Amino acid sequence: MKRDMSGSALLRPATPEDHPRMARILATSFVGKFALAFGRDEERRVKGFEIMLRYGLPDDCLYYVITLDGEVVGLIAFRMGNASLPPERKREYRRALGEVLGPLRAWWAIQVLSLMDGGKLPPQACYLDNLAIDPAFRRLNLTGAIADQVYGSLAAEGKTEILADFVSTNRAVEALVRREGWEYVRKSYILAPITLPLFGFAGIFRIRKDITAYAAGG
Ligand SMILES: CC(C)(COP(=O)(O)OP(=O)(O)OC[C@H]1O[C@@H](n2cnc3c(N)ncnc32)[C@H](O)[C@@H]1OP(=O)(O)O)[C@@H](O)C(=O)NCCC(=O)NCCS
């Protein structure tokens, strides 16, 4: 029987102390877009993610951790606006990544990740950038259990919609989209000739969740 996690899963803003655990979850969860940037070696990916968390996040990026009985078991991040990294932080980011990946690969990693940030956001929208649950804690409906907390927090920040992209082979996200009542904005196959042979997926789907109803008093 499926365990019901809705009572004990909580969302809280991430702190620098959470970074090692978050980097480990990111490194085991994201192979596709980040493998291109950080490589296939898991330990090197963990280091890459620690550096990304430390230097690579624009000031308007909100990172939350998902906890279960106080233990960090997942994370979720949002771009809240269109801020870019200040130039000196970008230099530090490239320098620190360069020590792990080499300078060329570090430059490439930063370019690739900035191309995949969801593009320019209208003021009412935020962009779901990363969502990951530790593989040992998947299929417990943790994402469903914290969904209302997520929508409430973002609505309290003045947002009325969440945008996100996912790749057509991601069955878990497809199921969440259905369960959580997100809508499809577009299904794009334009990059299929490149993404299918390289990464094994043909489509990139843009989705949207209206969170107007979660605003205080709404
Ligand atoms: C996306 C993610 C956070 C969802 O985790 P979760 O909240 O634990 O969600 P679940 O694993 O319970 O999946 C929800 C549903 O998706 C479907 N699903 C999940 N994994 C699946 C798989 N491998 N094959 C087919 N269906 C799957 C199931 O219907 C599942 O519900 P069920 O367990 O009741 O059958 C998690 O899968 C993850 O971390 N993935 C790697 C990172 C990622 O892809 N992030 C999203 C990028 S946009």
Side-chain angles (χ1 to χ4, degrees):
M1 201 172 88
K2 224 174 150 87
R3 279 195 280 162
D4 177 13
M5 291 294 153
S6 46
S8 44
L10 289 174
L11 190 74
R12 68 165 167 77
T15 68
E17 289 71 45
D18 296 316
H19 285 180
R21 175 78 178 117
M22 293 164 73
R24 177 69 55 187
I25 294 173
L26 285 164
T28 47
S29 295
F30 287 106
V31 181
K33 80 174 184 184
F34 290 106
L36 198 67
F38 293 160
R40 298 220 163 255
D41 177 76
E42 187 173 318
E43 290 315 309
R44 206 162 55 161
R45 276 212 308 285
V46 171
K47 287 196 188 120
F49 281 116
E50 278 188 333
I51 293 166
M52 181 202 77
L53 290 165
R54 178 152 180 209
Y55 299 109
L57 305 178
D59 292 336
D60 58 2
C61 179
L62 273 185
Y63 241 108
Y64 296 100
V65 288
I66 300 163
T67 64
L68 191 61
D69 301 327
E71 185 191 347
V72 173
V73 294
L75 50 89
I76 187 165
F78 297 93
R79 276 179 54 225
M80 303 299 281
N82 296 299
S84 48
L85 279 185
E88 60 291 355
R89 186 124 46 89
K90 199 166 178 175
R91 270 196 300 277
E92 275 300 282
Y93 186 23
R94 197 176 302 159
R95 183 201 54 74
L97 265 190
E99 284 174 10
V100 177
L101 306 178
L104 257 185
R105 202 165 179 148
W107 177 84
W108 170 244
I110 292 170
Q111 300 308 312
V112 171
L113 293 181
S114 69
L115 281 180
M116 296 184 179
D117 70 357
K120 193 163 172 9
L121 289 176
Q124 78 282 1
C126 56
Y127 183 77
L128 198 174
D129 215 353
N130 285 322
L131 161 67
I133 303 278
D134 182 324
F137 293 89
R138 287 190 196 153
R139 307 201 79 152
L140 300 173
N141 196 28
L142 284 178
T143 308
I146 50 95
D148 281 353
Q149 298 171 55
V150 170
Y151 303 149
S153 303
L154 296 170
E157 298 281 336
K159 299 299 180 185
T160 57
E161 63 176 355
I162 311 173
L163 302 173
D165 295 299
F166 75 100
V167 301
S168 50
T169 48
N170 198 330
R171 296 279 163 261
V173 174
E174 189 183 76
L176 291 171
V177 165
R178 209 172 35 242
R179 277 190 202 167
E180 283 294 315
W182 288 54
E183 62 189 272
Y184 285 88
V185 176
R186 64 171 176 267
K187 295 187 173 188
S188 169
Y189 293 93
I190 199 162
L191 293 175
I194 300 168
T195 57
L196 198 55
L198 276 181
F199 307 115
F201 66 84
I204 300 176
F205 301 162
R206 168 59 61 108
I207 49 175
R208 173 183 180 274
K209 174 76 179 174
D210 185 329
I211 53 167
T212 317
Y214 294 83

